[in-house]
Amino acid sequence: MQTDLSRRLGAEHAIFGFTPFPAVAAALSRAGGFGVLGAVRYGAADDLARDLDLLESHAGGRPYGLDVVMPAKKVEGASEDEIEAMIPEEHRRYVEEILAAYDVPELPESERSGWRITGWMESVARSQLDVAFEHPIGLLASALGPPPPDVVERAHRSGVPVAALAGSPRHARRHREAGIDIVVAQGYEAGGHTGEIASMVLTPEVVRAVDPLPVLCAGGIGTGEQLAAALTLGAQGAWLGSVWLTTTEADLGSRALTRKLLAAGPGDTVRSRALTGKPARLLRTAWTDAWEAAEGRPGPLPMPLQGLLVADATSRIQRHEVEPLLGTPVGQIVGSMNSERSVQAVVDDLTRGFDRALARLNTLAR
């Protein structure tokens, strides 16, 4: 299942997988795909360096990449503490009200929150890039549009192609003008930050908008038949994220969350600003419902303030597995994620489904 792009990047299959877990990224690369590690959860450069070393040592010499977040709109501040000082007290009170309503315990005194979303800050992302370029990454991806020009130039000087996610043809054209090498057309169905145009409409429009740049299709993909559909729409491969969350190599840190994902249907997600301040598709929970509540409630703050606001609360919810509030970014494909499988098993199912789709199309074309 190769394309010009997968061959150029050294992958056996045109399956590109975004994941926050280095073990998943390594397993995907070993299985012939292209694992891309999400860097946003790494506040400390040393932690990212450790996990990139781990990824590299377990990828079997296969290529892998890194995904960073560098928001176009920045909140100026010299430090995380100064930026947190911008968070209104009414928002802090509202978070505590939600936690109190569900009797969420505090973290143990010795346990600092491990879920600081400082990766939404450009200063942190730049420190992550310093680490990344000390490793043989085969791709740099940017989750919120093109990175700054100097970052694109630095990647190109290192021989690293740059990909950026786009939710509209307009965004895609802007990526092309910024010197991006690969555009990821991410449809409405996708987990995490996503726009309002569905993949079936978005992908061919982005392909036309940035021709001859290669395009990857993202959003709602979890079967080989969907992969085949992406290629028939003009994409050079698919970018998958949600489907890896229930693999045996993933470390969600919560069996309760895994059970919720396995039980969820395609309608059990919501596009919400509750986690980061930007619209992101999440598993629908009492937490997302609380932030969507109407009158008398403060609305979500802009990025990165919302992420910093809810960081400790998210750690408490996850640590104590408070199921009504427990969630994660995930796409509408969650309805098909109904069993735990290894990454290799997922890739095998994808390639088999792709072959079935091609055989069906060949029969129709006779």
Side-chain angles (χ1 to χ4, degrees), residues 56 216 264 272:
E56 185 177 343
L216 297 175
S272 170

Side-chain angles (χ1 to χ4, degrees), residues 292-329:
E292 298 302 315
E295 306 171 5
R297 306 299 187 196
L301 296 167
M303 180 182 283
L305 300 181
Q306 182 72 12
L308 293 172
L309 168 68
V310 307
D312 287 335
T314 302
S315 286
R316 289 167 61 182
I317 292 165
Q318 292 178 343
R319 170 72 166 75
H320 298 290
E321 294 194 313
V322 184
E323 291 204 32
L325 301 174
L326 195 59
T328 186

Side-chain angles (χ1 to χ4, degrees), residues 98-286:
I98 299 172
L99 297 175
Y102 289 89
D103 297 320
V104 182
E106 296 279 354
L107 290 173
E109 287 187 12
S110 60
E111 187 175 325
R112 183 180 182 274
S113 169
W115 210 82
R116 309 300 298 174
I117 315 184
T118 52
W120 304 124
M121 298 161 57
E122 183 176 325
S123 60
V124 175
R126 286 186 176 276
S127 70
Q128 293 169 348
L129 291 171
D130 291 338
V131 171
F133 289 121
E134 292 175 354
H135 292 76
I137 60 171
L139 179 70
L140 176 67
S142 177
L144 290 176
D150 67 294
V151 173
V152 177
E153 292 170 7
R154 182 180 182 185
H156 288 167
R157 285 197 307 271
S158 300
V160 177
V162 181
L165 277 63
S168 73
R170 176 173 56 86
H171 293 157
R173 283 190 287 268
R174 194 160 62 215
H175 295 357
R176 181 187 59 193
E177 292 163 3
I180 298 302
D181 305 288
I182 302 162
V183 177
V184 181
Q186 178 162 285
Y188 174 81
E189 309 95 324
H193 295 116
T194 189
E196 298 179 341
I197 305 173
S199 298
M200 186 65 73
V201 173
L202 178 65
T203 301
E205 291 199 5
V206 169
V207 169
R208 287 192 293 270
V210 301
D211 185 60
L213 289 185
V215 172
L216 297 175
C217 178
I221 299 176
T223 70
E225 288 82 358
Q226 290 168 317
L227 277 170
L231 297 191
T232 63
L233 294 173
Q236 287 270 325
W239 180 273
L240 292 75
S242 298
V243 72
W244 314 114
L245 291 173
T246 51
T247 57
T248 54
E249 292 89 347
D251 181 16
L252 289 176
S254 167
R255 291 300 304 169
L257 179 54
T258 299
R259 289 193 298 270
K260 288 185 75 171
L261 290 171
L262 294 173
D268 292 330
T269 67
V270 62
R271 194 164 165 269
S272 170
R273 299 176 185 268
L275 184 63
T276 70
K278 283 186 174 292
R281 186 168 297 285
L282 313 172
L283 189 67
R284 185 165 192 161
T285 65

